[in-house]
Amino acid sequence: MTADTEQNIRVRIAPSPTGDPHVGTAYIGLINFLCARQRNGKFVLRIEDTDRTRFVSTSEQMIFEALRWLGLSWDEGPDVGGPYGPYRQSERTEIYREHADLLLASGSAYRCFCTPEELEAVRRQQMAARLPARYPGTCRRLSVSEVEANLSAARPFVIRMKVPGSGSTTFRDELRGAITFEHTNVDDQVLIKSDGFPTYHLANVVDDYLMRITDVIRAEEWISSTPKHVLLYQAFGWPVPRFWHMPLLRNVDKSKISKRKNPVSLVYYRQAGYLPEAMLNFLGLMGGGMPADINNATEKFTLEDMMQHFDIRNIRPAGPVFDLTKLRWLNGEYLRALSPQAFYGALRSTILSDHYLSRIAGLVQTRMETLGQFGDLTNFFFAENVLPPPEVFLPKKRSIEETLAFAAEQLATLEATEWTAEALEPALKQMGDAKGWSVKENFMLLRAILTGSTMSPPLLESMVIFGKARTLDRLRRFLDAQKKTAGHRK
RNA sequence: GGCGCCAUGGUGUAACUGGUUAACACGCCGCCCUCUCAAGGCGGAGAGUUCGGGUUCGAUCCCCGAUGGCGCUACCA
């Protein structure tokens, strides 16, 4: 932070519980954590669960666990409390409603009665006419009596912010300098959805103010909506915090990092046997931030080193590729640096834990005649990858194309299903039915992809023990590998 | 399409406020060590800094433009 703004800073991360904890959350979390610790500030964890359609109930707990695994501890949050709670946005709806009313009263916002269908139609027209897709402002021009009429007719509505028709908003990004947006390019954002929940834009501004956040350190994808946020701060008459937009982590092809192309779940990295030290170190490499002498000399540093030497102002704004190859090398370095006892300890606490082993044992006891067969029956649980040849995975009456298409369906189904045998079984069967695949074909294909063989312990139970993150990764790798060989065949 | 951000080898970074044979790490290749594979040691290829202008005695670095990449463009965050 700049020298003239010495103060007790307050920063936050605000993950959304919509699935597995994401490496991007860890990256932004790390930087926020470092800034807070370096300045004797506070690091707040806030759960942004305002989207009830994407809400995943197990997600919040997984986020906690992943951040603890990495050692990024927070001072205030839903689990530890704090003076500015609650820290879960779903528990703050009343606050947002009050603030939306304030905006309504001051004329900075208005009710919009347009239906999603109407909006969609307008959007399509605008796209067709190659115009920027924007809210046409229909309800902005509603008279008081028209609004009253709609209200008494109990028509559902959203609350939109009223962006000035002309002029522009300029804000300062601490890494990039001044950024200006013409108001003609800023849409009348929805602030309160028809279900009464706020959108990110309202909730984040209200909470950041109420929680006394001084520095908003978040991902670059938020730059385009920052003018909306600034306008909201102004409408409320609040001071604007400092904004630091961090570069977006990228896939190898430079697109924004995504599960399609890269494992992004922290659960995956943990279960696959990456050490938190290596992950932290690797994330610290992303975008720079460590001084050149240290960076140049070793590239290997600890969280402690980062607290000591990291400087957010050194972050380069270009999006770094999250390069698994280098992460793996780094992880190997950390593994080799362990004492033999510590190394064995790491194995025993993860990939060979009693918990994991005993659950696997429970699957194979009836299938063994000698204990020595254990390895043969369960090796897929311990292999980093298995790649079955077509002789193994291809059903007799199916073409390679339809099989791969079906495997992609399986992936989608698995992705969307709660990770228990009870939930997975009907979900898979139902999907297979719909696609005209027998249960046998269906399960056998999955078995082959997951275990590399047509013989294995019970499939669903195996998947549950192996874990969602790793199972999905294995499916994706399979699909990728097949896509590549298909490319070669052509 | 519109708006915004970004731009150093394949990848991650470095090069003090303009002056270096553009450095380090990963990866790749070769050699050594060695029963194998790793690890380790040694060496090598690979960018003249996206391109074009400008400012300057001198630009990776400053300015302008182009190009490319990415993001946003939701009653998702």
Side-chain angles (χ1 to χ4, degrees), chain A residues 11 28 69 117 163 167 231 257 290 308 310 345 455 458:
Chain A
V11 297
I28 301 296
W69 171 61
E117 294 72 33
V163 175
L231 253 13
I257 195 167
M290 287 295 271
Q308 209 77 237
F310 177 86
M455 282 179 299

mmCIF file of all heavy atoms in Angstrom, chain A residues 11 28 69 117 163 167 231 257 290 308 310 345 455 458:
data_model
loop_
_atom_site.group_PDB
_atom_site.id
_atom_site.type_symbol
_atom_site.label_atom_id
_atom_site.label_comp_id
_atom_site.label_asym_id
_atom_site.label_seq_id
_atom_site.Cartn_x
_atom_site.Cartn_y
_atom_site.Cartn_z
ATOM 1 N N VAL A 11 -9.299 -5.878 4.620
ATOM 2 C CA VAL A 11 -9.509 -6.465 3.301
ATOM 3 C C VAL A 11 -10.412 -7.686 3.444
ATOM 4 O O VAL A 11 -10.705 -8.118 4.559
ATOM 5 C CB VAL A 11 -8.172 -6.888 2.658
ATOM 6 C CG1 VAL A 11 -7.279 -5.684 2.424
ATOM 7 C CG2 VAL A 11 -7.465 -7.915 3.529
ATOM 8 N N ILE A 28 -6.516 -15.029 -4.811
ATOM 9 C CA ILE A 28 -6.970 -13.739 -4.292
ATOM 10 C C ILE A 28 -6.906 -13.749 -2.763
ATOM 11 O O ILE A 28 -6.555 -12.750 -2.138
ATOM 12 C CB ILE A 28 -8.411 -13.433 -4.766
ATOM 13 C CG1 ILE A 28 -8.471 -13.415 -6.303
ATOM 14 C CG2 ILE A 28 -8.892 -12.112 -4.204
ATOM 15 C CD1 ILE A 28 -7.663 -12.321 -6.954
ATOM 16 N N TRP A 69 -6.442 -25.404 5.071
ATOM 17 C CA TRP A 69 -5.391 -26.298 4.575
ATOM 18 C C TRP A 69 -4.197 -25.472 4.102
ATOM 19 O O TRP A 69 -3.042 -25.809 4.366
ATOM 20 C CB TRP A 69 -5.954 -27.141 3.422
ATOM 21 C CG TRP A 69 -4.958 -27.951 2.672
ATOM 22 C CD1 TRP A 69 -4.163 -28.938 3.178
ATOM 23 C CD2 TRP A 69 -4.636 -27.856 1.282
ATOM 24 N NE1 TRP A 69 -3.369 -29.469 2.182
ATOM 25 C CE2 TRP A 69 -3.651 -28.821 1.009
ATOM 26 C CE3 TRP A 69 -5.109 -27.053 0.230
ATOM 27 C CZ2 TRP A 69 -3.106 -29.002 -0.269
ATOM 28 C CZ3 TRP A 69 -4.581 -27.239 -1.032
ATOM 29 C CH2 TRP A 69 -3.594 -28.198 -1.269
ATOM 30 N N GLU A 117 -38.679 -12.657 -20.074
ATOM 31 C CA GLU A 117 -38.940 -12.939 -21.482
ATOM 32 C C GLU A 117 -38.842 -11.668 -22.316
ATOM 33 O O GLU A 117 -38.232 -11.655 -23.392
ATOM 34 C CB GLU A 117 -40.337 -13.562 -21.653
ATOM 35 C CG GLU A 117 -40.506 -14.951 -21.029
ATOM 36 C CD GLU A 117 -40.561 -14.916 -19.499
ATOM 37 O OE1 GLU A 117 -41.070 -13.929 -18.930
ATOM 38 O OE2 GLU A 117 -40.070 -15.870 -18.865
ATOM 39 N N VAL A 163 -28.486 4.760 -13.711
ATOM 40 C CA VAL A 163 -27.191 5.298 -14.126
ATOM 41 C C VAL A 163 -27.423 6.594 -14.894
ATOM 42 O O VAL A 163 -28.309 6.650 -15.755
ATOM 43 C CB VAL A 163 -26.448 4.280 -15.032
ATOM 44 C CG1 VAL A 163 -25.156 4.873 -15.573
ATOM 45 C CG2 VAL A 163 -26.174 3.001 -14.254
ATOM 46 N N GLY A 167 -22.274 11.782 -19.237
ATOM 47 C CA GLY A 167 -21.115 11.905 -18.361
ATOM 48 C C GLY A 167 -20.358 10.606 -18.265
ATOM 49 O O GLY A 167 -20.593 9.670 -19.030
ATOM 50 N N LEU A 231 -20.533 4.328 -8.616
ATOM 51 C CA LEU A 231 -21.788 5.098 -8.665
ATOM 52 C C LEU A 231 -22.652 4.808 -7.441
ATOM 53 O O LEU A 231 -23.303 5.707 -6.903
ATOM 54 C CB LEU A 231 -22.552 4.725 -9.947
ATOM 55 C CG LEU A 231 -22.664 5.677 -11.152
ATOM 56 C CD1 LEU A 231 -21.724 6.870 -11.095
ATOM 57 C CD2 LEU A 231 -22.522 4.925 -12.462
ATOM 58 N N ILE A 257 -8.915 -19.261 -16.480
ATOM 59 C CA ILE A 257 -8.773 -20.631 -15.994
ATOM 60 C C ILE A 257 -10.141 -21.281 -15.754
ATOM 61 O O ILE A 257 -11.055 -20.669 -15.214
ATOM 62 C CB ILE A 257 -7.904 -20.679 -14.716
ATOM 63 C CG1 ILE A 257 -7.464 -22.123 -14.443
ATOM 64 C CG2 ILE A 257 -8.635 -20.075 -13.532
ATOM 65 C CD1 ILE A 257 -6.372 -22.219 -13.404
ATOM 66 N N MET A 290 6.889 -10.712 -5.548
ATOM 67 C CA MET A 290 8.058 -10.872 -4.689
ATOM 68 C C MET A 290 9.203 -10.082 -5.298
ATOM 69 O O MET A 290 9.311 -9.968 -6.515
ATOM 70 C CB MET A 290 8.424 -12.353 -4.570
ATOM 71 C CG MET A 290 7.467 -13.138 -3.695
ATOM 72 S SD MET A 290 7.511 -12.610 -1.965
ATOM 73 C CE MET A 290 8.819 -13.677 -1.327
ATOM 74 N N GLN A 308 6.985 -11.272 4.626
ATOM 75 C CA GLN A 308 8.138 -10.404 4.794
ATOM 76 C C GLN A 308 8.372 -9.505 3.571
ATOM 77 O O GLN A 308 8.588 -8.318 3.695
ATOM 78 C CB GLN A 308 9.373 -11.300 4.987
ATOM 79 C CG GLN A 308 10.465 -10.690 5.813
ATOM 80 C CD GLN A 308 10.101 -10.758 7.304
ATOM 81 O OE1 GLN A 308 10.056 -9.742 7.954
ATOM 82 N NE2 GLN A 308 9.846 -11.964 7.809
ATOM 83 N N PHE A 310 6.693 -9.744 0.129
ATOM 84 C CA PHE A 310 5.724 -9.536 -0.947
ATOM 85 C C PHE A 310 5.281 -8.073 -1.005
ATOM 86 O O PHE A 310 5.116 -7.417 0.028
ATOM 87 C CB PHE A 310 4.506 -10.427 -0.705
ATOM 88 C CG PHE A 310 3.395 -10.250 -1.706
ATOM 89 C CD1 PHE A 310 3.409 -10.964 -2.894
ATOM 90 C CD2 PHE A 310 2.339 -9.385 -1.453
ATOM 91 C CE1 PHE A 310 2.373 -10.804 -3.825
ATOM 92 C CE2 PHE A 310 1.312 -9.223 -2.376
ATOM 93 C CZ PHE A 310 1.335 -9.937 -3.558
ATOM 94 N N GLY A 345 5.080 -39.225 6.842
ATOM 95 C CA GLY A 345 3.942 -38.627 7.524
ATOM 96 C C GLY A 345 2.972 -37.996 6.528
ATOM 97 O O GLY A 345 1.750 -38.111 6.670
ATOM 98 N N MET A 455 -13.077 -54.937 -14.538
ATOM 99 C CA MET A 455 -13.341 -55.578 -13.253
ATOM 100 C C MET A 455 -12.899 -54.637 -12.144
ATOM 101 O O MET A 455 -11.776 -54.143 -12.167
ATOM 102 C CB MET A 455 -12.568 -56.890 -13.143
ATOM 103 C CG MET A 455 -13.196 -58.034 -13.910
ATOM 104 S SD MET A 455 -12.208 -59.525 -13.738
ATOM 105 C CE MET A 455 -10.636 -59.022 -14.442
ATOM 106 N N PRO A 458 -17.161 -52.243 -6.305
ATOM 107 C CA PRO A 458 -18.397 -51.559 -6.672
ATOM 108 C C PRO A 458 -18.134 -50.133 -7.135
ATOM 109 O O PRO A 458 -17.430 -49.372 -6.459
ATOM 110 C CB PRO A 458 -19.204 -51.568 -5.373
ATOM 111 C CG PRO A 458 -18.633 -52.660 -4.553
ATOM 112 C CD PRO A 458 -17.222 -52.844 -4.975
#
